[in-house]
Each structure stands twice: as structure tokens, then as C-alpha cells.
Amino acid sequence: MRKAGRPRNQTARRQALVSAAGQAITERGLEGLRIKDIADAAGVSQGSVLYYYPELDDLVLEVHRGAVESYLASRQRSYDEAPAEDPAARLRALLHSGLPSMTDDPVHALLYELHRRAGRSPGHAELMTSLFAREIALYTTALEVGAATGAFSLAASAQDLAHGLVALEDGYGLHIVSRNVALHPDRARELILAHARVVTGCAEL
């Protein structure tokens, strides 16, 4: 019985350390991250952190992977929970889910902080590439469904427009979490919705 329960216990402990590391990164940033910060956040010893993750980079990569999957799942839920018979409502929900709701939005702040590793780490670069591709796939589906039902009159291919929408989200989002006082989150939403209305020909957005 003890052997059967051990893997579940280790998995839970690893998940707790990943969560604690994410919290520490959000609060201190990657440059100031210390094993002690993670241990304190998890309520364990520094030795326990090193037992499960001898290399800090491996733990940071797990944080990045978890943040990407959680973020994408949240976006998919936002899309799925909007009325299926209303392509404009579904696209609007998707657009809203892609922008930080406030300057200290923890989810987006964590993702932007972790994306900084992409230039120096193939693992982080792969996660960032995967996130971009899957967000484009979400938008492509939303746009294609809208076009197929006659709700949208697309100004370009669904995939090309999806690239543009994701790029706008990323750009506006970076300014928001960087506390650019010239761009309030509500204003960013207005701007991206205005763009979406133009490229889809849908005034209901």
C-alpha cells in the first residue's frame, strides 16, 4: 500500500513546489529568484526543494509549462461558455480572455516573465511557440465558424487574421503589465474590439 501511494504523494509535492515557484517568480521576478523563496512559499525546507528539483531551471520550466496549460484552458473555457449560436459573443469572449484585467494581473505577469527565458532556453522557446500556435488555432476556429454562419465577412484568411489578433493581445498585454499609464486595460479592449469589427465586418463585436 505504501508503494502504491508514494507516486501520488510525490506528484502532489512537485505540484506544490511548482505553484510556490510561480508565486515567487510573480513576486520577485526571475532574476531575483532564490531556492529560499520557493521553500518559504511552499512551507518546506530548501533541501526538500532541491530533492525534487536539483536544478532550479527544471523547476522554472515546469512553472512555465503549467502556466501555459492553465492559461490556454481558461481561454478555451471562455470561448466554450459563450453561446454556441452566437459567433460574435464567442469571439468577444475570446478577445476578453486574452488581455490582462489589471496592471498586476498575476497570470499574464507570470507568463511575460517566463517568456523572457525563451531567448536562452530551447525548452522555454518551445513552450512560447506552442502557446502562440494554439492561441492562433483558437482564433482561427472562432473566425472560420463566424464566416461559415454568415456572421463574419473576413477581410483576409482566418489564420492571417488570427495571427494579427494574437499579436495585438501580446502587444497590449505587455504594455498593461508594464504599467504603461497611457494604456488602461479597458482602453486596450476597446481598441482590439474595434480592430476585430473592421476585419470581421461584424458590428456586434
Side-chain angles (χ1 to χ4, degrees):
M1 293 297 291
R2 187 178 295 177
K3 288 184 178 180
R6 191 176 183 84
R8 288 197 297 272
N9 189 44
Q10 289 187 340
T11 297
R13 288 183 180 179
R14 286 179 180 275
Q15 290 174 341
L17 290 174
V18 169
S19 178
Q23 178 184 333
I25 292 169
T26 300
E27 293 175 355
R28 300 182 61 90
L30 280 170
E31 301 306 322
L33 185 65
R34 303 174 301 176
I35 295 293
K36 181 180 185 304
D37 302 318
I38 299 169
D40 289 347
V44 299
S45 68
Q46 295 183 53
S48 292
V49 177
L50 292 170
Y51 173 79
Y52 288 100
Y53 290 99
E55 298 294 332
L56 182 58
D57 285 346
D58 291 339
L59 176 52
V60 173
L61 186 62
E62 284 302 308
V63 174
H64 198 174
R65 182 174 291 111
V68 165
E69 292 302 325
S70 177
Y71 177 62
L72 286 168
S74 176
R75 301 206 68 181
Q76 184 70 59
R77 281 195 304 274
S78 294
Y79 177 76
D80 291 341
E81 289 172 0
E85 69 279 5
D86 190 344
R90 284 198 144 185
L91 181 57
R92 189 164 54 248
L94 195 53
L95 288 163
H96 284 181
S97 74
L99 288 172
S101 59
M102 51 191 173
T103 55
D104 56 351
D105 185 300
V107 174
H108 286 84
L110 179 61
L111 282 170
Y112 280 115
E113 185 71 18
L114 290 165
H115 288 345
R116 294 171 53 199
R117 285 286 177 97
R120 303 190 299 274
S121 164
H124 287 280
E126 183 179 343
L127 284 171
M128 191 172 177
T129 301
S130 173
L131 173 60
F132 185 66
R134 291 162 71 182
E135 286 181 297
I136 287 170
L138 274 174
Y139 271 116
T140 299
T141 297
L143 292 165
E144 287 178 342
V145 170
T149 60
F152 301 159
S153 178
L154 303 183
S157 72
Q159 189 171 49
D160 285 351
L161 295 180
H163 274 78
L165 290 169
V166 174
L168 280 174
E169 283 180 353
D170 289 346
Y172 287 143
L174 180 59
H175 281 280
I176 292 170
V177 299
S178 299
R179 301 180 184 276
N180 182 342
V181 296
L183 186 67
H184 189 274
D186 289 341
R187 178 58 175 158
R189 286 187 183 82
E190 291 173 3
L191 290 169
I192 199 167
L193 282 169
H195 173 79
R197 283 192 289 270
V198 171
V199 299
T200 63
C202 180
E204 297 177 10
L205 282 169

